[in-house]
Amino acid sequence: MELNFEKASFKDFENIHGMDAYQRAAFFAEYLDYLRERGHLNYRMETMSGCGPEVEMDIPGYGGKKKYVSLVSNDYLGFTQHAMIKKAAIDGIMKYGTGAGASPAIGGHFSFHEMLENKIAGFFGREAAITYTTGYTANSASLLCLLKKEDMAILDMSVHASVYEGCMNTNIKMFLHNNMDALERALRESRDTHRTRIVVVDGVYSQDGDLAPLDKILELTHFYGAYLMVDDAHGIGVLGKTGRGLIEEYNMLDKVDIISGTFSKTFGHVGGYVVASAELIQFLKYQSRQHLFSVTASPASMSILKAIDLIDEEPEWQDLLWDNIVYFQDGLKGLGLDIGTSASGIVPVKVRDIPMTLEIGRLLLKAGVYANPIMYPAVAKKDSRIRMSLMATHTRPHLDKVLNAFADISKKLKLGSRYQ
Ligand code: PMP
């Protein structure tokens, strides 16, 4: 098999004609060795301390165990380390034990699950919610349940992988990212041909940190008789006057048909939710296979109840986060770097070349900065970038260290000239 490793991506190894699973695994191992030898294997890096603005790692060849400024966590408000949230998790375990023991239909539905479903529905001012054990499953499982072969999912092409997975049993029509003409065309053309049509968009997009024009999307979707589902995984706690995300900014909390999201980012835990009308949620509770046949969240998820309260009780975290976002984005722009259309806690530096992106990732690590190089298939090949997430708990010295590292790397690799 001929494959240029320099230009390759993980996607190239997904399925290779004529190679069985073990042969593919062996060939993939060669590719990983190639990346490892160059210091370009940046997946599954082992972090020894907890989630935070600074983490401890011992990367072979990088001078032993040391601290790195971390820009890889979506713990936007720093809640994974909040004393009251940790205590709520411990209290949950002390009261209920460490596990739920069964799927919800047959004994695994406890009072704290009921409280969490009611609380997250109430957070959005809505009727009902269902929880799943990950944000990924919340999207994929709910869509798998709602959309069948007579139906259609109309997807912004940049939605999260979990949404695509949820559309395996239905028809998919993708529209160009945030392009309202393309959305309208898809809605018009499918009006008489498909039964249930759900338009799925993110609030904040996970790779560019840009925002969906939700008002226009909702208007078009409802005009053509379709339903709107918004995954605002990266907007909650970050956007909206009271942290309810982009949907709150558009004053549409009572208008979006289905809201999905995750407990793994701002809420500082793990799990996912879908919020909608009481009947639709009840249908999911009894029909969604991944909910029905899989164990419920552990009692440690009681931490989420506290995190939801603290979004209202301690709004200063959202303010601190925004101070950091503005400072950091201005700093990167001041260096002549291209941060695209970011308007959230996710800030990319566009590089647009896979080997160069990997090299910048390595140089950042050498400078004590941990950030993610993102390449195809997560983004288009010509769209490779370093992706960073900011936290309320990053300090100015943390951010200055990152900006100084970018200044040095930019000079060394002549990054500024790439944008001319
Ligand atoms: N939706 C979006 C937009 C995401 O970015 C992610 C996670 N990166 C998910 C859903 C899945 O959430 P989780 O990691 O909690 O499963």
Side-chain angles (χ1 to χ4, degrees):
M1 167 76 195
E2 282 298 308
L3 185 64
N4 178 351
F5 279 177
E6 197 193 335
K7 298 251 178 291
S9 75
F10 284 8
K11 183 90 179 152
D12 293 314
F13 299 85
E14 223 172 60
N15 195 2
I16 299 172
H17 185 68
M19 277 196 185
D20 74 14
Y22 282 84
Q23 289 167 326
R24 289 205 307 279
F27 188 42
F28 186 54
E30 279 179 41
Y31 176 58
L32 290 187
D33 285 343
Y34 169 90
L35 291 177
R36 210 174 274 120
E37 278 159 21
R38 284 156 184 77
H40 288 173
L41 183 58
N42 47 59
Y43 271 29
R44 297 182 60 85
M45 304 251 293
E46 185 181 336
T47 305
M48 294 153 143
S49 53
C51 208
E54 217 174 34
V55 295
E56 219 167 56
M57 295 194 288
D58 185 357
I59 307 171
Y62 284 65
K65 186 158 130 180
K66 42 181 188 176
K67 284 192 171 154
Y68 293 79
V69 175
S70 168
L71 296 145
V72 300
S73 169
N74 301 308
D75 177 15
Y76 293 112
L77 302 183
F79 278 6
T80 62
Q81 303 300 335
H82 193 296
M84 286 156 85
I85 294 176
K86 286 189 193 177
K87 182 172 180 306
I90 294 165
D91 289 349
I93 290 173
M94 294 315 284
K95 178 158 184 199
Y96 292 97
T98 55
S103 57
I106 53 167
H109 184 61
F110 289 85
S111 316
F112 65 89
H113 296 119
E114 189 70 22
M115 280 191 269
L116 187 54
E117 285 171 353
N118 292 335
K119 188 129 188 153
I120 192 69
F123 177 73
F124 291 107
R126 298 290 291 264
E127 277 184 359
I130 180 173
T131 57
Y132 289 88
T133 41
T134 67
Y136 190 102
T137 331
N139 279 338
S140 56
S142 57
L143 286 165
L144 278 169
C145 181
L146 297 175
L147 296 178
K148 306 296 180 193
K149 65 180 189 324
E150 297 88 343
D151 304 319
M152 177 175 269
I154 301 176
L155 310 179
D156 183 293
M157 61 187 279
S158 299
V159 289
H160 190 254
S162 53
V163 172
Y164 283 97
E165 181 148 330
C167 299
M168 285 194 310
N169 295 338
T170 191
N171 303 285
I172 298 183
K173 181 85 193 168
M174 286 188 274
F175 62 95
L176 273 177
H177 177 51
N178 276 349
N179 184 315
M180 294 303 98
D181 292 337
L183 169 61
E184 179 159 23
R185 210 173 313 124
L187 282 161
R188 197 183 326 110
E189 286 170 3
S190 59
R191 186 165 30 182
D192 301 318
T193 52
H194 293 84
R195 190 180 56 181
T196 312
R197 291 167 308 144
I198 303 184
V199 173
V200 190
V201 298
D202 288 1
V204 175
Y205 282 88
S206 59
Q207 299 303 345
D208 274 317
D210 61 330
L211 312 180
L214 285 184
D215 51 348
K216 297 192 187 86
I217 293 172
L218 184 84
E219 192 185 330
L220 283 173
T221 302
H222 284 178
F223 179 80
Y224 286 100
Y227 299 98
L228 178 61
M229 173 164 169
V230 179
D231 170 5
D232 204 13
H234 296 275
I236 303 305
V238 179
L239 298 172
K241 198 161 175 292
T242 65
R244 267 72 171 164
L246 188 66
I247 310 177
E248 180 184 13
E249 290 214 352
Y250 277 104
N251 207 7
M252 284 173 20
L253 285 169
D254 57 340
K255 296 187 183 73
V256 170
D257 301 289
I258 303 171
I259 301 172
S260 70
T262 175
F263 293 127
S264 70
K265 304 187 193 300
T266 282
F267 297 114
H269 192 71
V270 64
Y273 56 85
V274 176
V275 169
S277 70
E279 265 185 11
L280 199 82
I281 292 299
Q282 179 167 264
F283 184 71
L284 289 173
K285 283 177 181 166
Y286 287 86
Q287 294 291 340
S288 174
R289 298 170 62 82
Q290 294 73 5
H291 179 81
L292 211 54
F293 298 126
S294 185
V295 75
T296 43
S298 93
S301 62
M302 286 193 75
S303 68
I304 302 164
L305 297 168
K306 191 73 207 166
I308 294 174
D309 284 340
L310 289 183
I311 287 182
D312 289 332
E313 289 164 14
E314 298 187 354
E316 59 270 28
W317 298 112
Q318 194 182 351
D319 297 339
L320 281 171
L321 174 65
W322 272 100
D323 286 349
N324 282 344
I325 293 172
V326 171
Y327 181 76
F328 191 58
Q329 290 195 347
D330 285 351
L332 290 172
K333 283 192 262 184
L335 293 172
L337 299 172
D338 179 1
I339 64 163
T341 46
S342 167
S344 67
I346 297 168
V347 185
V349 165
K350 304 276 185 102
V351 183
R352 303 202 168 89
D353 176 87
I354 293 178
M356 174 93 88
T357 306
L358 289 166
E359 183 59 6
I360 295 173
R362 186 184 74 83
L363 292 171
L364 284 169
L365 279 175
K366 284 278 175 203
V369 174
Y370 181 20
N372 279 319
I374 302 282
M375 284 127 336
Y376 183 76
V379 294
K381 285 189 174 147
K382 61 174 180 29
D383 245 355
S384 322
R385 80 276 307 274
I386 300 291
R387 187 186 88 140
M388 294 167 282
S389 296
L390 291 171
M391 299 175 65
T393 46
H394 279 120
T395 61
R396 283 295 142 90
H398 289 143
L399 299 183
D400 287 339
K401 183 170 176 179
V402 182
L403 291 170
N404 289 335
F406 267 107
D408 291 347
I409 293 168
S410 179
K411 207 179 302 159
K412 187 167 173 200
L413 301 181
K414 299 191 174 48
L415 275 186
S417 65
R418 298 181 62 76
Y419 307 125
Q420 271 130 45

